[in-house]
Amino acid sequence: MQYTLILDDLNCAHCASKIESKIAQTEGYRSVSFNFATKKLRFETDRQNPKDEIQAICDSIEDGVHVLDEHEHAHRHEHHDHQSCHGDHCDCQEHEHAHEHKHAHNHGHDHEHGEGGTLKKVLLAASVVLGVAALVLHLTAAGEAAHWTVFGLSLAATLCAGYDVFLKGFKNAFKLRIEETVLITIAVIAAFCIGETVEAAMVTILFSIGEFIEDLAVGRSRRDIEKLSRIRPDTANLLENGQEREVPAESVAIGSVIVIKPHERVPLDGVVTEGSAELDVSALTGESLPQHVTKGSKVLSGSMNGDAPLTVQTTAAFGDSTATRILRLVEDAAAQKGQREKLITRFANVYTPVVVLLSVLIAAVPPLCGLGSFSEWLMRALVVLVASCPCAIVISVPLAYYSGIGAGSRIGVLIKGGRYLEALAKADAFAFDKTGTLTTGKITVSGVHAYGGYTEQDVLSLAAGCEKYSAHPIAQAIRAQSRSAATLTDYKEIAGTGTSAVYNGKTLCCGGSKLLNGTLPRELEDKNTVLLTCDGTLIGAIEISDSLRAEAPGVLRQLKELGAKRLLMLTGDAAANAAAVQRQLDGIETHAALLPQDKLQIIGDCQQGGSTVCFAGDGINDAPVLSKSDCGIAMGFGSEAAIEAADVVLSSGDLTALPKAVRLARKTINTIRANIIFALVVKAAVIVLAMCGMAQMWMSVLADTGVCVACVLYTARLLRTK
């Protein structure tokens, strides 16, 4: 079975990666993935109720982590929200806004809630006062009394600022787990031992302030991510026997009638039966313009109602509604980690032991070689030790991936994982299906040709009669264009050709060029036509067109500006139809009359040529090539098979989202790259300066918590992508 658990109060990204690795190495657990941004742990196991074992693994690595299922987590935070709204006089005026405030209190460790959080802030403020007093006295006074006063003030400041850090550090040291609390504890104790009491106090204060700011920054990013998922209300106003009652949305059956009040989100997909309103669908499609709906209009769950009430008959269950499907896609994306994210996890597991060993060598080898005193080199080693913590990278990289994926969902682009974000960022070839992707997919009759004494209306009427029982889109377009369908008999399907029927004792056939063995009048040769024959003689031809999407030329132009080397159109349609579309698009390679295996071959050839290929399509027959491409892109929520096979879904069904997705993906990868380079360069610089005796302990703290805060804040801007 597949499980999803919440590791609540887990705020150390390095510890999170260790927990994930240990669970993955435990026998019986498969497909283990933890997302630090959402605190969600996903895995597969045959064990019944594995929560207790997961809790034991967490306890062995990080104290204070609470393993909860999703219902327990929701209940726990509903309780916190209730207390904060009433205890803190929260002035949330609307249900929606109150819902937006969920988890707002949860921005750090357990001790930052309620009285514990207040005490921590008071002690931190007191430590700053005591530390400043110790520093001033150290710089201005001399003598034994001043020395012991400075010692007392420094010790008091150190304990006020870092008592919880030291407790955690001692616990981790006994468990032989080397992480930042152990490093800072060793550094502070060693500083006191060699008489650097003021520096020890200042380092502890700086570290605690940095941790506090880091918790705020990470907490804010998490809350921003959580806001992205609040598009699905959990309750619905069910209308039965003229009475409204609020019920869980998951209990509403298909065909039920619900009421959507003004400024409420639509809980389930449905059709409007009464009322008209403007819906805000930006949470689903990224489209800022409101959508007008009236009786008979479809409405999608996750849309926000305007000023007027609506009565809606549901057409989908809670689990199959649009908002749920979007949330499921975004949540599943957390399990698909990018290559950089996997690399950073492996890097952190090797990096910390190596740096600890380096610090030991720095402290021991130079004094033994007569290059200085032990206390001098010990101080340098401590600076290296504190500066080396990899938390800035370990936190910011997964946070950036999930922020990029979350920001994509706001603009109507659902990216199923970090590796697809990477593929989208480096894509240099884009292939498109024709019908429904580059074109609207709405087939219309654009012209009628009549022969042998028949009129255009006769041709339309007889063709509509022939196509009376066909479900093909072309047949539907012909029937829609005809004023009335002729009454015929003996309807038959001609496999691979069209349909036939009997009219006044004569056989009518309606279909493609095979009816005339491929021989067409000159005026029809370059046109997409449906032929009508009577006893084998051509009596009419109906021109069919599928109009180009208005945004297609502009989208292709933008992709070229973004560096696309190849643009391809792959279609199963006839060459003449493909050529008609190609003439309206500048610089696109066209491959027509393709079977699914032919499309696979072309995509494979592109990949072998060194290209990273994205393929966009919307049909069931596109599923194989969507899977084959480096990044498969499904248009809208049309074919379930296409959505299942795709790596990215353009929920708006609009191609304009594609270049936006490429830009967002590149911005995300550039953010990750910048964070990694910045963190490593700063840490390397401080380590080199420390080895040369030119770095103070406070610089190492800035290289740790300061860099981490900077990386998190830089990453958070992804969530504000317009």
Side-chain angles (χ1 to χ4, degrees):
M1 291 181 61
Q2 188 176 70
Y3 290 85
T4 299
L5 298 175
I6 311 296
L7 304 190
D8 217 8
D9 307 317
L10 176 56
N11 298 286
C12 171
H14 196 186
C15 299
S17 67
K18 290 182 178 179
I19 290 172
E20 181 183 28
S21 297
K22 188 167 183 178
I23 296 171
Q25 293 165 8
T26 303
E27 186 178 353
Y29 290 89
R30 301 176 299 278
S31 303
V32 179
S33 175
F34 178 71
N35 186 276
F36 184 73
T38 60
K39 303 186 183 180
K40 288 191 176 183
L41 173 71
R42 292 187 171 202
F43 57 89
E44 294 177 1
T45 184
D46 296 327
R47 302 185 188 188
Q48 299 296 318
N49 192 22
K51 192 169 75 169
D52 292 341
E53 188 171 9
I54 299 297
Q55 181 70 67
I57 292 173
C58 292
D59 291 342
S60 71
I61 295 176
E62 173 78 348
D63 292 327
V65 177
H66 296 87
V67 179
L68 309 170
D69 60 37
E70 292 178 300
H71 292 293
E72 290 172 331
H73 179 258
H75 178 74
R76 185 181 192 211
H77 288 284
E78 284 284 1
H79 176 68
H80 279 304
D81 291 338
H82 178 78
Q83 286 185 329
S84 63
C85 281
H86 289 277
D88 298 338
H89 306 291
C90 177
D91 60 351
C92 308
Q93 295 180 358
E94 297 184 24
H95 175 75
E96 179 73 15
H97 292 166
H99 191 59
E100 293 281 340
H101 284 13
K102 256 187 185 179
H103 314 292
H105 65 288
N106 186 22
H107 56 250
H109 300 287
D110 243 3
H111 59 251
E112 289 193 18
H113 299 306
E115 295 179 3
T118 302
L119 177 62
K120 176 66 179 175
K121 293 173 186 175
V122 169
L123 289 175
L124 187 57
S127 71
V128 172
V129 174
L130 293 169
V132 170
L135 178 62
V136 171
L137 193 60
H138 173 69
L139 295 174
T140 57
E144 187 173 353
H147 169 76
W148 286 109
T149 303
V150 169
F151 178 86
L153 290 171
S154 298
L155 181 62
T158 301
L159 293 176
C160 286
Y163 71 94
D164 55 340
V165 174
F166 303 140
L167 287 174
K168 189 175 180 181
F170 282 121
K171 290 179 182 178
N172 288 331
F174 281 119
K175 294 176 182 178
L176 300 179
R177 291 202 331 265
I178 306 301
E179 46 86 64
E180 61 181 349
T181 58
V182 176
L183 303 183
I184 199 70
T185 300
I186 293 172
V188 169
I189 291 174
F192 267 96
C193 290
I194 62 177
E196 298 288 349
T197 57
V198 174
E199 182 153 12
M202 288 303 179
V203 164
T204 308
I205 292 168
L206 279 174
F207 181 82
S208 296
I209 291 174
E211 285 279 283
F212 180 74
I213 296 173
E214 179 184 319
D215 285 343
L216 289 176
V218 173
R220 180 173 180 178
S221 296
R222 278 175 165 165
R223 292 195 302 277
D224 286 342
I225 288 171
E226 286 168 349
K227 287 178 183 178
L228 299 174
S229 67
R230 291 184 195 140
I231 63 172
R232 180 190 64 187
D234 295 323
T235 61
N237 301 311
L238 184 64
L239 185 63
E240 288 182 324
N241 301 320
Q243 299 293 319
E244 286 182 34
R245 61 188 179 93
E246 189 175 275
V247 300
E250 60 187 351
S251 69
V252 178
I254 297 174
S256 300
V257 177
I258 59 174
V259 175
I260 316 297
K261 296 178 180 178
H263 308 295
E264 281 188 346
R265 287 200 184 274
V266 179
L268 301 152
D269 293 356
V271 175
V272 177
T273 58
E274 187 177 338
S276 63
E278 301 290 328
L279 295 187
D280 178 358
V281 295
S282 58
L284 305 178
T285 66
E287 174 56 60
S288 58
L289 293 176
Q291 180 186 79
H292 181 74
V293 295
T294 187
K295 185 175 181 179
S297 301
K298 292 181 180 179
V299 294
L300 302 178
S301 61
S303 305
M304 176 71 79
N305 191 16
D307 296 323
L310 292 172
T311 303
V312 172
Q313 185 173 36
T314 62
T315 57
F318 183 71
D320 296 323
S321 287
T322 301
T324 301
R325 292 165 67 190
I326 289 176
L327 293 179
R328 193 182 300 133
L329 286 173
V330 175
E331 288 296 330
D332 289 345
Q336 304 293 333
K337 295 193 173 183
Q339 293 302 315
R340 286 177 177 81
E341 192 170 359
K342 294 176 182 177
L343 178 64
I344 289 302
T345 300
R346 293 195 296 268
F347 165 80
N349 291 334
V350 175
Y351 169 79
T352 303
V354 168
V355 174
V356 171
L357 178 61
L358 176 64
S359 300
V360 172
L361 293 175
I362 291 172
V365 174
L368 293 176
C369 296
L371 298 176
S373 66
F374 175 74
S375 60
E376 176 189 349
W377 283 100
L378 176 62
M379 201 63 183
R380 296 182 185 185
L382 295 176
V383 174
V384 171
L385 203 62
V386 175
S388 65
C389 183
C391 280
I393 301 173
V394 175
I395 289 175
S396 65
V397 170
L399 195 63
Y401 275 111
Y402 204 81
S403 296
I405 291 168
S409 72
R410 294 175 61 183
I411 60 173
V413 180
L414 305 176
I415 304 169
K416 292 187 178 180
R419 59 193 177 116
Y420 308 124
L421 196 73
E422 291 173 346
L424 199 58
K426 64 180 183 179
D428 56 2
F430 293 85
F432 301 87
D433 178 41
K434 181 180 77 70
T435 306
T437 303
L438 290 174
T439 65
T440 62
K442 297 177 181 177
I443 297 174
T444 58
V445 173
S446 57
V448 180
H449 301 265
Y451 304 93
Y454 289 86
T455 66
E456 293 182 1
Q457 188 55 46
D458 291 338
V459 171
L460 279 173
S461 178
L462 292 171
C466 262
E467 302 282 12
K468 183 176 181 179
Y469 297 106
S470 175
H472 195 282
I474 291 179
Q476 295 173 2
I478 291 173
R479 291 199 299 269
Q481 185 69 22
S482 174
R483 296 175 186 170
S484 61
T487 302
L488 310 178
T489 58
D490 294 337
Y491 295 96
K492 292 180 183 177
E493 289 277 348
I494 307 173
T497 302
T499 59
S500 72
V502 174
Y503 172 64
N504 292 337
K506 298 178 181 179
T507 301
L508 292 179
C509 293
C510 190
S513 59
K514 289 182 181 180
L515 293 175
L516 297 178
N517 297 319
T519 303
L520 296 174
R522 181 173 297 177
E523 68 269 18
L524 302 180
E525 285 179 355
D526 295 327
K527 294 181 170 63
N528 185 21
T529 56
V530 174
L531 305 180
L532 182 66
T533 64
C534 180
D535 285 341
T537 301
L538 181 67
I539 64 170
I542 301 172
E543 290 185 34
I544 300 298
S545 65
D546 178 10
S547 58
L548 187 73
R549 284 180 179 268
E551 74 272 14
V555 166
L556 298 188
R557 185 170 57 253
Q558 289 182 62
L559 291 176
K560 286 181 182 177
E561 292 170 355
L562 289 169
K565 297 176 182 177
R566 295 185 70 183
L567 299 173
L568 304 95
M569 178 170 64
L570 310 181
T571 178
D573 210 345
N577 303 334
V581 174
Q582 184 185 26
R583 284 192 291 270
Q584 302 175 69
L585 298 171
D586 182 35
I588 190 168
E589 300 175 33
T590 301
H591 301 267
L594 300 177
L595 296 173
Q597 56 266 35
D598 300 324
K599 294 183 180 181
L600 286 174
Q601 181 64 47
I602 293 171
I603 294 295
D605 291 343
C606 287
Q607 292 170 327
Q608 288 179 4
S611 293
T612 300
V613 186
C614 291
F615 176 81
D618 72 329
I620 293 174
N621 63 332
D622 291 327
V625 70
L626 284 168
S627 299
K628 171 70 174 176
S629 60
D630 296 288
C631 184
I633 302 168
M635 295 289 294
F637 283 97
S639 163
E640 286 284 352
I643 292 170
E644 189 68 27
D647 309 313
V648 173
V649 179
L650 305 183
S651 61
S652 63
D654 189 329
L655 278 175
T656 54
L658 180 53
K660 293 179 187 177
V662 174
R663 292 190 190 96
L664 176 63
R666 291 182 181 178
K667 185 176 181 180
T668 302
I669 298 304
N670 288 338
T671 297
I672 292 169
R673 188 181 295 118
N675 280 341
I676 293 173
I677 293 172
F678 173 67
L680 291 179
V681 167
V682 171
K683 289 177 183 295
V686 172
I687 289 172
V688 171
L689 290 173
M691 294 173 67
C692 297
M694 300 169 62
Q696 301 298 314
M697 186 73 76
W698 62 266
M699 295 173 66
S700 67
V701 175
L702 289 181
D704 175 22
T705 57
V707 168
C708 187
V709 170
C711 288
V712 170
L713 292 176
Y714 184 63
T715 299
R717 84 196 206 290
L718 290 171
L719 290 165
R720 292 163 181 80
T721 300
K722 298 297 183 183

